[in-house]
C-alpha cells in the first residue's frame, strides 16, 4: 500500500506518515462540494475544519478579495493601520456582548489563544497581583497545538506526559457540569485561586475533544467563580463563533460576558487565515501606564493582513444579508431527524445535535481509515476521529446535500459496525 510517506516532500498534519494512507488530492471547490484531481466530487460534511460557513467560493467574498488584492494585499501593522482592520474591529466589537471592545489580530487560532494567555497573565501583573501565573483549563479541552496551548489542552491529547518539562505545568480540572464537579472546582479555587490568572474554556462544546456538549449553566458557574476569585474568564470561541451552535457566539446562550474571547476558524468564512483576541475595557485599561513594561509585547509579522480583514468583513456582510442563523436552525432540525436512525445501530453510543453540529458517538472506533474510505466511495467528505462521526456542514448546504451526508453515515455505520 502506498502511504503518505510516498508523497514527495510534504509532512502532513496529525499523521503517522509511515502508515497514514495517501491523501486524496483536491483540485477545486464550489458551494458544499470538493472536486478531486481525478474528477470525483465529494459533498463536504465538515466545511474544512469548520471554517467554510458560507460554502466555498462565495462570490461576495471573492469580490472583496479581488478588490483588496488590487488596492493593498498587505502592509505592516507596526505604526500603521488600515481601513479593513478598523472596520473589522468595530464590527466584531459591535457583535460581541458587553464591553468586549479591544481587538488584537493574529493569524491562527493557537496564536490568538497564546495572546489571550499572555494578556491574562500580564493583566494580573500590571494590577500588582503577583504570583498569578497559572492557567486553569478543562479535561477534554482543545486550544491549539503550540507548546503553551498544548499545556492547557486535555492531558492525554496534549501529550503532557510525553513532552514533560517542555510544557508549562498548568491546572487541569473537570468542567463543572454536575454538583460534584462544581463543588470540586470551588474547593480547588479556594485553595489555589490566588495562583490563577485565567480560566480557559470552549463554550458549550469541546470540539476537537470529541464534540462534547455542556449546558450554558456551566459557563454561568465559571463566570461567577472567576468574579469571586479575581480570575479572568477566557472563552475560546474559535470553533463555536459565527453561528455554529445556533447563536452568533456560543457565550450568548449563557448570557455572560467573558473577559477575553478568541476567534478564528469561520472568521474569514474559511478563505484566509486570520484570528482575533478581543479584550474587555477593564482588561485593556490595565495595560495603560507610564511603564513600558506594562505594554502587551506581541506582534505577528502578518498581523491584520488586509486581504484577510477584507474577506472577514465580507463574511460579516453575508451574516447581515443572508439568513445564516435560520439556516443553522433548519440544519439542526434536519440532522436531529435524520441522524436519529443511527441511534438503534449496534455499536452506537449516542446521537446528539447542537446548532449545525451533528454527532454520532460510537462505543469504539477501531479502524477510522476504513470508514473514511467508505465515505469517499459514497461521494461524501466525512472524517471520523476519536470515537465519533460528525457533521459540521456549511450553513448554505442544501437539504438534499445534507440528506446525502446523513444517509451515508447511516449506511456506512450499518455496514461497518456490529
Ligand atoms: C482549531 C481550534 C484552535 C486552534 O486554531 P488553529 O488555527 O488551528 O491554530 C483553538 N481552539 C479551538 C477551540 C479550536 O477549535
Amino acid at each position: 500500500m502506498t502511504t503518505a510517506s510516498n508523497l514527495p516532500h510534504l509532512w502532513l498534519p496529525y499523521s503517522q506518515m509511515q502508515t497514514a494512507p495517501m491523501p486524496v488530492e483536491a483540485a477545486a471547490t464550489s458551494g458544499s462540494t470538493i472536486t478531486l484531481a481525478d474528477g470525483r466530487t465529494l459533498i463536504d460534511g465538515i466545511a474544512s475544519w469548520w471554517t467554510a460557513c458560507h460554502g466555498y467560493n462565495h462570490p461576495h467574498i471573492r469580490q472583496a478579495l479581488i478588490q483588496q488584492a488590487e488596492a493593498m494585499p498587505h502592509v505592516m501593522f507596526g505604526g500603521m493601520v488600515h481601513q479593513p482592520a478598523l472596520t473589522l474591529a468595530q464590527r466584531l466589537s459591535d457583535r460581541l456582548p458587553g464591553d468586549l471592545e479591544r481587538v488584537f489580530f493574529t493569524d491562527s487560532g493557537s496564536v490568538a489563544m497564546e495572546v489571550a494567555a499572555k494578556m491574562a497573565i500580564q493583566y494580573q501583573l500590571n494590577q500588582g497581583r503577583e504570583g498569578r501565573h497559572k492557567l486553569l483549563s478543562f479535561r477534554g479541552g482543545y486550544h491549539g497545538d503550540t507548546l503553551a496551548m498544548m499545556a492547557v489542552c486535555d492531558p492525554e491529547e496534549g501529550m503532557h506526559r510525553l513532552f514533560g518539562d517542555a510544557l508549562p505545568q498548568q491546572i487541569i480540572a473537570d468542567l463543572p457540569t454536575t454538583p460534584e464537579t462544581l463543588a470540586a472546582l470551588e474547593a480547588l479555587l479556594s485553595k489555589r485561586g490566588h495562583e490563577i490568572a485565567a480560566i480557559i474554556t470552549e463554550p458549550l462544546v469541546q470540539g476537537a475533544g470529541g464534540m462534547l456538549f455542556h449546558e450554558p449553566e456551566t459557563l454561568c458557574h465559571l463566570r461567577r467563580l472567576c468574579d469571586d476569585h479575581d480570575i479572568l474568564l477566557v472563552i475560546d470561541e474559535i470553533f463555536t463563533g459565527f453561528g455554529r451552535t445556533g447563536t452568533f457566539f456560543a457565550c450568548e446562550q449563557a448570557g455572560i460576558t467573558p473577559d477575553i474571547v478568541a476567534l478564528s476558524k469561520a472568521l474569514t468564512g474559511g478563505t484566509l487565515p486570520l484570528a482575533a483576541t478581543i479584550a474587555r475595557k477593564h482588561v485593556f485599561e490595565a495595560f495603560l501606564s507610564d511603564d513600558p513594561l506594562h505594554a502587551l509585547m506581541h506582534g505577528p509579522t502578518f498581523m491584520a493582513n488586509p486581504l484577510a480583514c477584507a474577506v472577514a468583513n465580507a463574511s460579516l456582510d453575508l451574516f447581515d444579508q443572508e439568513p445564516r442563523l435560520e439556516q443553522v436552525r433548519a440544519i439542526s432540525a434536519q440532522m436531529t431527524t435524520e441522524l436519529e436512525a443511527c441511534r438503534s445501530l449496534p455499536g452506537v453510543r449516542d446521537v446528539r445535535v447542537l446548532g449545525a453540529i451533528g454527532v454520532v458517538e460510537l462505543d469504539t472506533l477501531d479502524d477510522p481509515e476504513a470508514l473514511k474510505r467508505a465515505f469517499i466511495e459514497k461521494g461524501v467528505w466525512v472524517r471520523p476521529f476519536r470515537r465519533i462521526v460528525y457533521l459540521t456542514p456549511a450553513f448554505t448546504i442544501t437539504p438534499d446535500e445534507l440528506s446525502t451526508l446523513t444517509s451515508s453515515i447511516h449506511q456506512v455505520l450499518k455496514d461497518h459496525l456490529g
Side-chain angles (χ1 to χ4, degrees), residues 79-363:
M80 217 175 252
V81 295
H82 47 74
Q83 207 54 54
L86 289 163
T87 305
L88 181 58
Q90 171 76 56
R91 292 175 79 177
L92 291 175
S93 110
D94 288 348
R95 283 275 194 170
L96 282 159
D99 57 354
L100 281 158
E101 58 181 36
R102 281 287 164 175
V103 183
F104 191 97
F105 288 113
T106 50
D107 32 33
S108 79
S110 303
V111 175
M113 286 301 297
E114 294 268 341
V115 170
K118 278 173 76 169
M119 264 181 197
I121 292 165
Q122 203 176 352
Y123 165 86
Q124 303 286 3
L125 287 173
N126 286 357
Q127 313 256 74
R129 297 202 200 109
E130 302 287 330
R132 283 187 181 256
H133 296 161
K134 294 280 186 210
L135 304 170
L136 186 151
S137 62
F138 298 101
R139 261 177 215 98
Y142 176 76
H143 303 288
D145 292 339
T146 53
L147 282 167
M149 288 304 110
M150 283 172 75
V152 292
C153 287
D154 181 84
E156 290 299 316
E157 291 301 303
M159 300 192 290
H160 291 189
R161 235 192 311 267
L162 193 60
F163 276 69
D165 289 348
L167 301 185
Q169 189 81 63
Q170 305 294 9
I171 304 172
I172 315 281
D174 287 322
L175 257 182
T177 55
T178 62
E180 294 74 31
T181 47
L182 178 59
L185 184 61
E186 280 169 345
L188 175 64
L189 292 177
S190 302
K191 222 165 79 200
R192 301 190 64 185
H194 62 280
E195 298 171 44
I196 299 170
I199 292 182
I200 296 177
T201 190
E202 294 158 271
L204 301 191
V205 45
Q206 294 180 307
M211 302 293 168
L212 307 168
F213 301 163
H214 58 261
E215 296 296 321
E217 190 191 14
T218 298
L219 300 175
C220 300
H221 290 315
L222 293 179
R223 179 67 277 176
R224 174 176 56 78
L225 290 171
C226 283
D227 289 340
D228 289 352
H229 293 272
D230 291 324
I231 293 170
L232 292 185
L233 179 59
V234 175
I235 296 285
D236 178 349
E237 290 250 13
I238 292 169
F239 169 41
T240 52
F242 307 99
R244 184 54 67 183
T245 66
T247 43
F248 201 73
F249 296 110
C251 64
E252 291 169 30
Q253 293 181 43
I256 58 151
T257 305
D259 298 298
I260 301 175
V261 167
L263 302 174
S264 186
K265 294 224 159 79
L267 173 57
T268 64
T271 47
L272 283 173
L274 183 67
T277 309
I278 303 99
R280 283 174 72 174
K281 194 166 189 276
H282 68 103
V283 175
F284 176 70
E285 285 176 348
F287 289 75
L288 302 178
S289 158
D290 296 331
D291 187 345
L293 291 179
H294 284 190
L296 179 66
M297 297 307 284
H298 205 97
T301 306
F302 282 96
M303 181 168 182
N305 171 256
L307 289 173
C309 290
V311 294
N313 280 316
S315 175
L316 290 178
D317 293 342
L318 293 174
F319 277 101
D320 289 339
Q321 294 160 11
E322 298 184 4
R324 287 291 175 270
L325 295 184
E326 279 145 55
Q327 289 166 322
V328 170
R329 270 192 287 282
I331 290 168
S332 200
Q334 189 180 341
M335 287 198 299
T336 303
T337 308
E338 294 180 0
L339 288 178
E340 192 55 32
C342 294
R343 198 182 295 277
S344 53
L345 292 176
V348 169
R349 174 176 297 190
D350 187 31
V351 176
R352 55 182 180 271
V353 173
L354 175 68
I357 308 167
V359 185
V360 180
E361 182 175 333
L362 312 175
D363 289 328

